[in-house]
Amino acid sequence: MAVAVAVTTAATGLAGTALAVPSTTGAERSAASATTNATAVVEAARTAAFAHAAATGVSKGDELQPRDVLIDPEGARHVRFVRTHGDLPVLGGDLIVHLDHKLAYTGVTRAADHAVAPATSHARLSARQAAAKAAQAAKGDASAAQLVVDARGGASALAYQVTVSGAAGTHTVVVDAVTGKVRSNTPDSDEFLSPKLLDTLRRRGETIDPSTGAGSSAPAAGLLGSGLSGAARYPAPAKGTGKTLFVGNVGLTTTQTSRGHYQLKDLSRYGTETRDAKGSYTEKFSAGTKFTNTSDVWGNSSTSSRVSAAADAQYGITKTLDFYKNTFKRKGIAGDSKPAQAMVHWGKQIANAFWDPTCTCMLYGDGDGQMFKKPLVVLDVTGHELTHGVVEATANLQPTIIDTDGNQFGEPGSLNESLADIFGSNVEFYAKNAKDTPDYLVGEKLGLAQKFLRRLDHPSLDKLEGTVDYWSPDVYYTEVHAGSGVSSHAYYLLAEGSGKKRIGGVDYNSPTYHNIAVKGIGRTKATAIYYRALTRYMVSTTDFHQARIATLKAAKDLYGAGSTEYKTVDKAWSAVNVTAANTPRARH
């Protein structure tokens, strides 16, 4: 298992290097030393988890596998573990063990607040029976069923986990091994537009038809356009131009495969690449068709060229990678220096875009031609969806309820959507593209009647999804995109503060619960706090009150417990009605 070793700075929150294996070459001795250091941290954290079993919930029969190791320059160490019990994977058994610079135990953040051992270790259902139930529930073809321990919710149970493949993609279905009840049926891909939203748009007769910004006929300033690099050896990086649908002419780093031949692949960003699915439903990136050309100009700013959407996708993905690397020193979506990948023209009449963990890539449909007119390759959509990949690689926040239509509910899922909106908006701020000016709006280029899909400053102005401004106990049963408003609003208040403002040509007027006045600390600090909270203090079951604690801990790490930043984090959450006093006694 690769161990990601990260080093933090107070200014940005996180810096990181992914290390797959120890190396002994002279050029890589520092990497080998870091890996050795990480190994020592993991062993100390594992030992501490068992030594402090009353706090960590680790018990006999458990084994802990590291997913992430974060080493802070100020001294703290954080090891994120997934768990097995009796050699069975534990769903909802993840935890983070926190250590000081001397590797002494300082605390734990855990998903399950109960023992993970199931009441029985004997299955009444056979694996074949479980697979059949899963196939019926998800309406597809089931793979082999695997026994697991499902520790999500109030108690643990022996269960089968089954992957089901259907026309709408793959689902992970969990079936109780004793009762045969379907415990969960979760789509593996995260769709930008929820089934509930799409149904609302259909009922309203509203279409999504983003306006395309025609780019100039000239290549982007400072680019060669032809891509000629004079390279003696191939493949070699080249400077190309993307003629996109939504952001005009942009610079793209591409690959010159031979003299006069180019591929839409960026070797300078781990080999990040966009391919053409050609209407197939494949979830294997290798099955996509490479985009190649005899000039280094990609697309024509119109859907008449299949390559235009690919230029948007490649631009959005590389800007997202650059944002995470240059802001947090995060190398790749999973922090492992691996390429980010995308396939455009995926499926037939697919009115959506989504992050797909099966292929660890972005998939973009072309729209259904009726309600949804164009590919959803907009910049903040790509930043949003790739952030789901970052969340998956870190806290792995999961919805708690999924209905028969595929709509997701529950605060951890809402927090996941919120973080995707927060960091997706930050990708816009990072890119500084004149044709997609940065703002705290999400989906503002989709052509919707309300002029945006969601917004962070005043979430309830989104009438399509019914997004909420403040927390209440009902939020637990709110669809995740609607529920995301709670933490998105807290983030905006932390960054910019309450009341009327005009930022980048957009008017904002952020309300607060009981008219609490909040003075923002700036987007840079707010983003650093939320990122540190995600990577160090959030787990798969983190709800809004736990997110409050996570961001307070992050603010304390970065700026101190008596700092203005720490106090503003507390006030921002109070301003969306998330306080220590109204923390639910019983976790759902």
Side-chain angles (χ1 to χ4, degrees):
M1 174 177 290
V3 177
V5 180
V7 181
T8 62
T9 66
T12 59
L14 182 83
T17 304
L19 304 167
V21 292
S23 173
T24 56
T25 63
E28 297 179 340
R29 280 175 187 162
S30 61
S33 175
T35 301
T36 302
N37 191 13
T39 301
V41 173
V42 168
E43 288 309 310
R46 184 182 282 115
T47 300
F50 282 94
H52 298 270
T56 63
V58 175
S59 61
K60 184 179 180 181
D62 288 356
E63 291 187 10
L64 302 178
Q65 294 83 33
R67 283 194 66 187
D68 207 11
V69 181
L70 300 177
I71 300 176
D72 299 345
E74 65 270 21
R77 280 88 170 99
H78 316 266
V79 183
R80 186 183 298 275
F81 289 109
V82 293
R83 186 179 347 191
T84 61
H85 180 79
D87 295 327
L88 300 181
V90 179
L91 310 180
D94 52 303
L95 66 155
I96 307 169
V97 176
H98 310 290
L99 308 172
D100 65 15
H101 70 286
K102 294 183 179 179
L103 303 187
Y105 172 82
T106 60
V108 66
T109 305
R110 51 190 278 200
D113 59 0
H114 54 83
V116 302
T120 178
S121 58
H122 299 289
R124 292 184 181 176
L125 262 68
S126 67
R128 180 174 295 181
Q129 288 172 321
K133 283 184 175 290
Q136 183 180 17
K139 299 179 175 60
D141 298 323
S143 64
Q146 178 188 15
L147 272 174
V148 298
V149 175
D150 188 359
R152 301 168 300 173
S156 296
L158 187 66
Y160 286 101
Q161 183 172 268
V162 188
T163 298
V164 179
S165 302
T170 61
H171 283 229
T172 296
V173 182
V174 178
V175 179
D176 195 295
V178 177
T179 67
K181 177 184 176 181
V182 175
R183 297 176 64 88
S184 63
N185 177 7
T186 309
D188 291 331
S189 58
D190 190 285
E191 299 177 337
F192 183 71
L193 304 175
S194 69
K196 182 180 178 182
L197 173 62
L198 292 172
D199 184 59
T200 299
L201 292 170
R202 291 188 190 98
R203 284 189 286 105
R204 292 188 175 200
E206 188 170 342
T207 60
I208 295 181
D209 190 10
S211 58
T212 54
S216 63
S217 58
L223 298 177
L224 298 177
S226 67
L228 291 173
S229 63
R233 294 183 179 179
Y234 304 103
K239 296 179 179 180
T241 297
K243 293 192 172 185
T244 70
L245 294 174
F246 300 116
V247 288
N249 290 349
V250 297
L252 295 175
T253 300
T254 59
T255 298
Q256 188 173 2
T257 54
S258 63
R259 184 166 182 80
H261 293 86
Y262 306 91
Q263 184 178 344
L264 194 56
K265 182 177 183 177
D266 190 340
L267 297 175
S268 69
R269 293 175 176 88
Y270 327 113
T272 288
E273 182 181 359
T274 300
R275 292 188 177 184
D276 191 344
K278 291 195 170 180
S280 75
Y281 294 92
T282 182
E283 293 181 82
K284 292 182 179 179
F285 182 74
S286 60
T289 300
K290 299 176 183 178
F291 280 104
T292 58
N293 204 351
T294 53
S295 78
D296 210 355
V297 178
W298 305 87
N300 64 359
S301 302
S302 166
T303 54
S304 64
S305 168
R306 297 182 68 81
V307 190
S308 299
D312 277 282
Q314 186 77 357
Y315 173 78
I317 291 168
T318 54
K319 285 300 179 185
T320 303
L321 288 173
D322 288 354
F323 161 71
Y324 277 106
K325 182 179 180 182
N326 294 327
T327 308
F328 307 117
K329 298 299 185 286
R330 185 178 187 85
K331 296 185 177 181
I333 297 304
D336 56 4
S337 298
K338 291 185 178 179
Q341 299 168 326
M343 286 191 282
V344 293
H345 311 302
W346 188 82
K348 292 178 173 60
Q349 296 185 317
I350 298 297
N352 228 318
F354 31 89
W355 166 256
D356 186 346
T358 302
C359 70
T360 60
C361 64
M362 283 292 301
L363 302 176
Y364 300 92
D366 283 332
D368 58 9
Q370 299 175 6
M371 183 187 73
F372 192 167
K373 308 283 184 166
K374 294 185 181 73
L376 202 66
V377 285
V378 180
L379 178 60
D380 61 1
V381 172
T382 295
H384 172 106
E385 290 301 322
L386 285 176
T387 296
H388 282 310
V390 174
V391 173
E392 180 196 359
T394 53
N396 195 25
L397 293 157
Q398 294 292 319
T400 51
I401 305 168
I402 301 174
D403 68 17
T404 54
D405 294 322
N407 294 298
Q408 302 180 18
F409 302 83
E411 291 186 22
S414 293
L415 182 58
N416 193 340
E417 292 299 331
S418 170
L419 292 167
D421 280 353
I422 289 166
F423 292 113
S425 295
N426 270 274
V427 170
E428 274 190 6
F429 280 101
Y430 177 84
K432 298 178 183 177
N433 187 293
K435 292 187 179 294
D436 193 351
T437 53
D439 49 47
Y440 290 102
L441 311 178
V442 178
E444 71 277 8
K445 293 182 72 70
L446 297 183
L448 293 165
Q450 69 180 22
K451 307 301 182 185
F452 54 85
L453 179 54
R454 290 183 295 277
R455 58 187 299 156
L456 279 60
D457 68 311
H458 194 164
S460 64
L461 292 179
D462 165 27
K463 305 302 181 184
L464 287 170
E465 295 175 303
T467 306
V468 299
D469 290 328
Y470 312 119
W471 180 84
S472 74
D474 292 340
V475 168
Y476 186 85
Y477 303 101
T478 300
E479 193 274 330
V480 293
H481 296 86
S484 70
V486 175
S487 49
S488 293
H489 193 189
Y491 167 83
Y492 174 86
L493 291 168
L494 179 62
E496 302 291 351
S498 55
K500 292 183 178 180
K501 288 180 178 60
R502 186 171 179 82
I503 306 169
V506 178
D507 291 319
Y508 301 95
N509 189 3
S510 190
T512 61
Y513 197 75
H514 290 328
N515 297 316
I516 297 172
V518 181
K519 183 179 180 181
I521 61 173
R523 184 174 47 81
T524 299
K525 288 182 176 179
T527 305
I529 289 169
Y530 267 64
Y531 182 79
R532 179 174 279 243
L534 166 65
T535 53
R536 287 157 173 75
Y537 299 114
M538 292 184 185
V539 290
S540 60
T541 59
T542 298
D543 62 21
F544 289 133
H545 285 81
Q546 292 163 336
R548 170 185 171 271
I549 294 171
T551 51
L552 284 170
K553 287 180 177 179
K556 180 182 177 182
D557 288 349
L558 294 172
Y559 308 109
S563 65
T564 297
E565 291 83 358
Y566 182 92
K567 294 173 183 176
T568 308
V569 168
D570 191 41
K571 184 171 282 190
W573 283 107
S574 295
V576 298
N577 196 34
V578 176
T579 68
N582 67 11
T583 302
R585 290 185 179 181
R587 297 292 175 189
H588 296 272

